[in-house]
């Protein structure tokens, strides 16, 4: 068990690529930290610097209070699980798990105890004598985890460990790794490009882009209080709707205009969250208005109660997903389905510019022109140039 401190860490690869810039983070003992971001954002490089597989170009790394920059990987008390976990095919599951301990000349009885214990925790005791090729993908992944567990490390580092598995197995292994973290009560650092894995597994998430940390917080805080447009768009599916917008009205009842002729009025409470409302109010300054699909409703009762936030759209496509329904809407609600000469419009003239996630029992159909209403408490606003939030809601 250990805490980690990363202080102003940089990675510059030979040739001059700066893969990681100014990475600073305190990781507490027993946390489950997830590094998430699109491919190439520097997640793996950061993890590999913690593991000692990459040199740290600048900055300091501490594990358990001890500076680690020049400590070789095997002395860092960490264990790493990779995407390509490459079990030794000619060895049994038992020997795969025991191998690293044998190399370290751990006494035989202790090896046996640790392998049996890891196998029990992972539910693979009955496969110990099998070769990896006689196992399913999920079972192999468990063996890879077992190899890490037997080392009894202070920190587990996991680099996209589930990305080779199919969707169903991935969901299952996700919960198994979460359970494992709870049982082992050890620090986990997990790299993924999958926002669902990040949201479901992390106690805290580090969102990265182009080598820079964007925001660090709990999954719920990142979802509710994104610091910038990138974080807002990266977390959540379907992703947040973004519109160019302007603001008129008064300080206590500002009106946001967006789309074709859509307008919504903010409540006084929401207006109070705007950091510098006078920079927007009646200035014509364009900002980015963000609304999550889950905060847009087609329920007549909700709309009747929230007339100030209702606006007209036309529904392009309805996706019935069983537990929920997605409405793909166009803000250009007067638009015809055919061209003026009667020919069919190209589907490449993509008019869908808003997605709403509504109740699965919704009877809204394709082609319908109707009012939707926004739950105004949860809207977001970003500066159009810097893309940082214009709201003062960031939790301390
Ligand atoms: P991620 O894990 O987020 O996909 P990486 O940490 O693998 O991203 O890579 C971050 C950046 O560093 C990328 O631009 C990648 O091309 C570059 N990079 C990674 N490894 C090397 C290397 N060995 N030499 C030079 N550039 C590298």
């Amino acid at each position: 068990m250990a805490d980690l401190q990363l202080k102003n860490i940089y990675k510059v690869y030979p040739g001059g690529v700066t893969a990681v810039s100014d990475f600073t983070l305190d990781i507490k003992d027993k946390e489950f930290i997830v590094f998430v971001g699109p491919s190439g954002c520097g997640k793996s490089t950061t993890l590999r610097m913690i593991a000692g597989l990459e040199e740290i170009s600048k900055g300091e790394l501490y594990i358990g209070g001890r500076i680690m920059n020049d400590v070789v990987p095997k002395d860092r008390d960490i264990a790493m699980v990779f995407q390509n976990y490459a079990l030794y095919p000619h060895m049994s599951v038992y020997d795969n798990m025991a191998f690293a301990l044998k190399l370290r000349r751990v006494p035989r009885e202790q090896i046996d105890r640790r392998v049996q214990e890891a196998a029990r925790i992972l539910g693979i005791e009955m496969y110990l004598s099998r070769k990896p090729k006689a196992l399913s993908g999920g079972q192999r992944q468990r063996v890879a985890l077992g190899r890490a567990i037997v080392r009894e490390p202070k920190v587990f580092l996991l680099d996209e460990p589930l990305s080779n598995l199919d969707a169903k197995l991935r969901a299952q292994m996700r919960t198994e790794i979460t359970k494992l973290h709870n049982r082992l009560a050890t620090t986990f650092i997990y790299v993924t490009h999958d926002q669902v894995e990040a949201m479901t597994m992390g106690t805290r998430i580090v969102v990265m882009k182009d080598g820079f940390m964007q925001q660090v917080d709990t999954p719920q805080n990142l979802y509710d209080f994104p610091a910038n447009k990138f974080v807002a768009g990266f977390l959540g599916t379907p992703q947040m709707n973004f519109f160019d917008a302007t603001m008129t009205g008064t300080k206590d009842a500002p009106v946001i205009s967006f789309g074709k002729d859509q307008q919504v009025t903010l409540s006084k409470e929401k207006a109070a969250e705007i950091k510098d409302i006078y920079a927007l109010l009646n200035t014509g300054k364009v900002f980015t208005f963000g609304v999550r699909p889950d905060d847009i409703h087609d329920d007549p009762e909700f709309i009747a109660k929230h007339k100030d936030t209702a606006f007209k759209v036309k529904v392009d496509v309805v996706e019935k997903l069983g537990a929920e329904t997605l409405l793909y809407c166009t803000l250009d609600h007067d638009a015809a389905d055919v061209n003026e000469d009667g020919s069919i419009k190209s589907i490449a003239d993509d008019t869908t510019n808003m997605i709403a996630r509504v109740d699965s029992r919704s009877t809204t159909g394709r082609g319908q022109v109707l009012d939707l209403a926004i739950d105004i408490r949860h809207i977001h606003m970003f500066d159009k140039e810097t893309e940082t939030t214009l709201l003062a809601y960031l939790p301390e």
Side-chain angles (χ1 to χ4, degrees):
M1 283 172 272
D3 52 359
L4 290 89
Q5 281 96 38
L6 291 91
K7 292 191 177 163
N8 311 102
I9 285 185
Y10 286 77
K11 177 69 191 182
V12 184
Y13 279 113
V17 178
T18 305
V20 178
S21 297
D22 203 14
F23 194 103
T24 296
L25 181 67
D26 275 358
I27 301 175
K28 291 189 275 301
D29 188 24
K30 302 188 181 93
E31 273 202 280
F32 195 133
I33 291 283
V34 179
F35 298 165
V36 72
S39 180
C41 71
K43 312 178 288 289
S44 295
T45 300
T46 309
L47 198 73
R48 293 169 65 80
M49 286 193 284
I50 297 172
L53 302 174
E54 291 291 350
E55 206 181 314
I56 296 170
S57 308
K58 206 170 117 190
E60 289 156 9
L61 167 71
Y62 295 85
I63 301 179
R66 208 178 131 213
I67 188 146
M68 285 288 152
N69 289 48
D70 298 321
V71 175
V72 293
K74 73 175 179 48
D75 295 335
R76 290 191 184 196
D77 243 337
I78 45 119
M80 194 145 169
V81 181
F82 296 96
Q83 172 182 350
N84 299 315
Y85 37 81
L87 302 176
Y88 300 111
H90 58 285
M91 287 187 196
S92 67
V93 167
Y94 185 101
D95 288 334
N96 262 286
M97 293 212 276
F99 188 64
L101 301 182
K102 281 186 187 159
L103 283 186
R104 283 161 188 250
R105 304 191 187 288
V106 175
R108 186 186 295 268
E109 320 75 73
Q110 216 188 101
I111 294 180
D112 192 54
R113 184 184 54 74
R114 290 202 209 170
V115 171
Q116 296 291 352
E117 176 66 0
R120 190 186 61 75
I121 294 169
L122 294 163
I124 51 173
E125 302 120 297
M126 57 295 235
Y127 311 124
L128 283 174
S129 57
R130 283 202 200 166
K131 297 272 166 60
K133 69 171 185 315
L135 300 176
S136 71
Q139 289 160 347
R140 275 184 226 153
Q141 188 60 60
R142 273 184 226 145
V143 178
L145 288 168
R147 277 200 308 201
I149 293 173
V150 295
R151 311 252 313 264
E152 299 182 345
K154 285 186 181 157
V155 185
F156 281 83
L157 305 178
L158 303 105
D159 192 353
E160 305 248 9
L162 306 185
S163 52
N164 282 344
L165 306 178
D166 65 49
K168 195 167 162 202
L169 201 49
R170 229 168 30 228
Q172 186 192 331
M173 288 303 294
R174 206 164 69 204
T175 52
E176 290 191 11
I177 291 177
T178 304
K179 274 195 239 167
L180 194 61
H181 173 251
N182 295 341
R183 305 250 158 101
L184 298 177
T186 308
T187 313
F188 274 46
I189 308 177
Y190 188 102
V191 161
T192 180
H193 63 275
D194 179 348
Q195 56 104 12
V196 177
E197 275 179 23
M199 289 293 285
T200 51
M201 298 170 87
T203 47
R204 278 194 305 158
I205 302 175
V206 179
V207 183
M208 296 179 71
K209 183 191 170 209
D210 301 335
F212 287 90
M213 299 166 82
Q214 301 292 305
Q215 194 174 358
V216 184
D217 215 322
T218 60
Q220 197 64 49
N221 278 345
L222 289 178
Y223 192 78
D224 290 338
F225 312 116
N228 60 40
K229 188 180 166 196
F230 176 79
V231 174
F234 193 77
L235 300 176
T237 41
Q239 81 158 37
M240 187 184 284
N241 298 287
F242 296 113
F243 311 102
D244 280 353
T246 53
M247 186 176 278
T248 53
T250 65
K251 175 172 110 15
D252 291 337
V255 178
I256 294 180
S257 302
F258 65 102
K260 195 175 175 228
D261 50 15
Q262 284 78 8
Q263 289 194 326
V264 293
T265 306
L266 297 192
S267 62
K268 192 173 163 188
E269 293 73 35
K270 192 70 195 179
E273 284 181 17
I274 303 170
K275 279 188 267 192
D276 181 10
I277 197 167
Y278 294 109
L280 303 173
L281 201 61
N282 301 310
T283 61
K285 188 173 162 59
V286 178
F287 62 95
T288 304
F289 177 40
V291 190
R292 292 208 183 273
D294 352 355
D295 295 321
I296 307 174
H297 301 273
D298 70 343
D299 161 25
E301 235 178 87
F302 184 92
I303 294 168
K305 271 202 219 134
H306 298 87
K307 289 218 166 60
D308 281 353
T309 72
F311 54 89
K312 214 173 266 320
V313 298
K314 181 170 172 187
V315 179
D316 265 346
V317 174
V318 177
E319 277 184 359
K320 291 261 177 209
L321 299 175
E324 64 194 26
T325 292
L326 301 180
L327 306 179
Y328 292 72
C329 308
T330 167
L331 298 176
D332 191 6
H333 47 83
D334 298 331
D337 272 344
V338 290
N339 292 314
E340 276 175 16
D341 62 3
S343 59
I344 295 174
K345 266 196 174 166
S346 163
I347 56 166
D349 294 339
D350 193 355
T351 49
T352 294
N353 29 36
M354 195 184 82
I355 303 179
R357 177 190 276 138
V358 298
D359 194 277
S360 62
R361 270 93 197 173
S362 160
T363 54
T364 298
R366 187 180 67 80
Q368 216 173 315
V369 175
L370 79 166
D371 273 347
L372 297 177
I374 293 178
D375 187 342
I376 210 71
R377 293 170 301 169
H378 304 305
I379 63 114
H380 302 268
M381 293 168 56
F382 305 97
D383 186 281
K384 191 153 162 60
E385 274 79 49
T386 65
E387 302 196 341
T388 53
T389 183
L390 298 174
L391 302 180
Y393 56 20
L394 285 178
E396 290 304 317

